[in-house]
Amino acid sequence: MFDKELQQKIYRSGVIAVLVIDDAENAVPLAYALLDGGVTAMELTLRTKAAFEALIQIKKHVPEMTPGIGTILTPEQVKSVCEGGATFGVSPGLNPRVIKAAAQNQLPFAPGIATPSDIEAAIELGCQTLKFFPAEPSGGLGYLKSMAAPYNHLGLKYVPLGGLSLTNFGEYIESPLVLAVGGSWIAKRELIKNKDWKTITRNARETADIVSAIRG
C-alpha cells in the first residue's frame, strides 16, 4: 500500500512523468529537468536495460525526486526494483504473483486495472492505489467514475495512464478519485535521447501550471 506520506508527495506533483531511458547517463539531468519544471514524481519503465541503473543514479544524486519503476512483470523484477531503491512500483496489468512479491518486499505497488473484476482482485490482494490503464481507450474519466462507484466507500485512488495529454489530463485530476495521472507527453523518448532538457522543463512547467491551477 502507498502510505499517506507517499500519497501526498504524488498528489502534490499531480503528474507522474512516465519515461523510457536508453542511456543511464541521462537519468540525473532528466530528473533535474523535470524538477525545474515542477514535476516531482517519475516512473522509469522497464522497457530498456538502462532503467535500473537510471533509478540508482537518481536515488543517489536527486533526493528531491520521487522515483518509481513501471512495467514490472515478474516477481524477480520486484526484488531488483527494491534493491535499486524504488519508492513505488507499477504494472500494466494485475498479476497476483507480482503483487504478493511487492508485499513481501514492502514495495508500495499499483497494479493495472481496467474492469470491476480487476478492482476486486486488487482489493483482495491489499492494493489501495490502482493504475487505470489504458485510460482513454477504455472509456476515459466517465468510465472510471462508473466503474469505481461501487467501491468509493473504500477510499481507493487511481492513476490513469494511456491516451492522456496536456490538453485532456486536467479533467482527470479534478476528480477526487485520481491521485495523479501518468504523463508520457512530458519527456518523450526522443527528447531524452537528444538531451533536450529545455523542452522537457518547458513541458513539465506547462503541466505543473495546470495542476497548480486546479489543485492549488
Side-chain angles (χ1 to χ4, degrees):
M1 294 179 62
F2 285 48
D3 62 27
K4 289 185 178 179
E5 181 181 357
L6 178 56
Q7 282 199 339
Q8 288 172 355
K9 285 182 178 180
I10 294 176
Y11 180 86
R12 284 196 297 269
S13 184
V15 176
I16 301 171
V18 179
L19 311 164
V20 180
I21 293 183
D22 294 280
D23 185 346
E25 290 185 359
N26 290 331
V28 170
L30 170 59
Y32 279 122
L34 293 169
L35 287 174
D36 288 346
V39 173
T40 59
M42 58 168 26
E43 174 192 328
L44 297 161
T45 60
L46 292 182
R47 301 179 192 178
T48 68
K49 295 180 180 179
F52 285 124
E53 181 59 29
L55 170 65
I56 292 169
Q57 293 302 316
I58 290 166
K59 288 290 293 185
K60 180 178 180 180
H61 298 289
V62 196
E64 306 93 330
M65 178 58 70
T66 301
I69 289 286
T71 323
I72 299 175
L73 303 178
T74 69
E76 293 74 23
Q77 287 177 327
V78 171
K79 183 178 180 181
S80 298
V81 165
C82 292
E83 290 174 350
T87 306
F88 61 92
V90 182
S91 62
L94 195 153
N95 183 328
R97 293 176 63 239
V98 171
I99 295 172
K100 289 175 183 177
Q104 290 169 356
N105 287 274
Q106 298 182 322
L107 175 70
F109 196 80
I113 60 93
T115 68
S117 294
D118 291 341
I119 293 176
E120 293 190 22
I123 293 169
E124 183 70 17
L125 291 163
C127 300
Q128 294 284 314
T129 304
L130 311 176
K131 173 182 175 179
F132 173 39
F133 177 80
E136 282 291 290
S138 294
L141 182 60
Y143 173 72
L144 175 61
K145 288 179 177 178
S146 297
M147 176 176 62
Y151 314 103
N152 284 347
H153 64 289
L154 300 177
L156 305 178
K157 295 296 182 183
Y158 302 86
V159 180
L161 173 64
L164 276 66
S165 67
L166 186 67
T167 59
N168 68 3
F169 88 93
E171 65 175 349
Y172 283 87
I173 63 168
E174 287 178 339
S175 171
L177 294 170
V178 173
L179 180 64
V181 302
S184 58
W185 69 87
I186 299 171
K188 293 184 177 181
R189 192 172 189 171
E190 286 305 311
L191 289 177
I192 299 170
K193 279 185 175 181
N194 294 333
K195 305 180 188 297
D196 192 349
W197 313 129
K198 289 184 178 180
T199 297
I200 291 172
T201 294
R202 183 171 66 248
N203 291 346
R205 174 53 58 197
E206 290 176 347
T207 300
D209 285 347
I210 292 173
V211 172
S212 180
I214 292 172
R215 292 188 168 176

